[in-house]
Amino acid sequence: QIRNAPPPRSLETAAYIYAVTNVCGFRIRPDPFRELFAKQGVTPDLVALRGPFGHKIQSMFVVMSNGLAQNRDAACAAAWTEFGRDGSVAAGLLEKG
């Protein structure tokens, strides 16, 4: 089955979320993760690291992880503001590990 690629922004968002979990030790909560991508018309399997576009996401993930790690405290605080309990982008998507 041939699938259309998710929008580039969806792939970047997924890579960012995965990078944040890697660098900051947060965990992804499945329901808010699914809801975030559903709003973009994308299913979670399309933006999974082992999904059909995983190689693209993994490439971005490496670059983003390295960048976030350079200023870990500020990066983790920013990510928590966006995706933490009261997140401005997707509330409750991340939880502290």
Side-chain angles (χ1 to χ4, degrees):
Q1 180 179 0
I2 298 174
R3 300 180 189 193
N4 292 330
R9 184 70 182 147
S10 295
L11 298 177
E12 291 168 6
T13 300
Y16 176 71
I17 291 168
Y18 295 136
V20 164
T21 63
N22 179 51
V23 172
C24 304
F26 298 139
R27 289 189 305 260
I28 297 171
R29 294 185 59 233
D31 290 339
F33 184 83
R34 212 175 359 264
E35 291 168 12
L36 173 66
F37 289 101
K39 290 177 186 175
Q40 299 175 29
V42 176
T43 58
D45 64 316
L46 289 178
V47 293
L49 285 173
R50 294 189 180 177
F53 302 96
H55 63 285
K56 290 181 181 183
I57 294 169
Q58 288 176 20
S59 296
M60 290 183 277
F61 162 82
V62 170
V63 172
M64 289 180 182
S65 289
N66 290 337
L68 292 168
Q70 290 178 1
N71 195 353
R72 183 181 315 270
D73 291 342
C76 294
W80 186 255
T81 300
E82 297 167 338
F83 297 104
R85 186 179 59 239
D86 300 319
S88 60
V89 176
L93 190 145
L94 298 175
E95 62 184 10
K96 293 189 177 179

